[in-house]
């Protein structure tokens, strides 16, 4: 880890390397240098997760196969998908910042889904 000189020591640069099968995923991230909230780290974790998924998809496609689940397919919207507490809080914040009537529509959909559970 090294300090980012452009940000007056408020952030640090972190080098990450993850072995994924035959591939190595290497990335650099700028993160807060001191104590921070998980919410502030969520975008970084999501980018790492996206890179891992992209690598897995590339491996499958390299074998001549395809993955049926794709961005926008909607299947995740029709089943329970486990998320972390910090992700749930982020979704809550997003929804409560929606303008009306969108906020009420989304909250009603959540309430309806919860009642079905």
């Amino acid at each position: 880890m090294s300090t980012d000189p452009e940000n007056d020591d408020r952030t640090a640069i972190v080098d990450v390397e993850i072995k994924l099968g035959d591939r190595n995923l290497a990335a650099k991230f700028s993160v807060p240098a001191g104590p921070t909230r998980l919410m502030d780290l969520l975008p970084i974790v999501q980018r790492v997760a996206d890179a891992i998924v992209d690598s897995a998809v590339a491996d499958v496609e390299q074998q001549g196969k395809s993955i049926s689940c794709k961005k926008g397919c909607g299947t995740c919207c029709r089943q329970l998908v486990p998320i972390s507490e910090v992700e749930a809080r982020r979704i809550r914040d997003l929804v409560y910042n929606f303008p009306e009537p969108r906020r009420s529509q989304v909250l009603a959909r959540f309430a309806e889904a919860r009642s079905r559970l």
Side-chain angles (χ1 to χ4, degrees), residues 93-110:
D93 292 349
L94 280 170
V95 171
Y96 280 110
N97 284 310
F98 283 166
E100 287 296 349
R102 182 70 177 143
R103 178 181 341 145
S104 293
Q105 293 166 341
V106 172
L107 290 173
R109 285 176 55 199
F110 283 155

Side-chain angles (χ1 to χ4, degrees), residues 1-2 4 11-18 25-32 41 43-49 51:
M1 180 168 74
S2 60
D4 185 352
T11 62
I13 302 299
V14 177
D15 294 325
V16 176
E17 188 168 333
I18 302 171
L25 171 67
K28 286 186 178 198
F29 296 100
S30 178
V31 298
L41 297 176
I44 296 168
V45 173
Q46 288 172 325
R47 285 197 305 269
V48 171

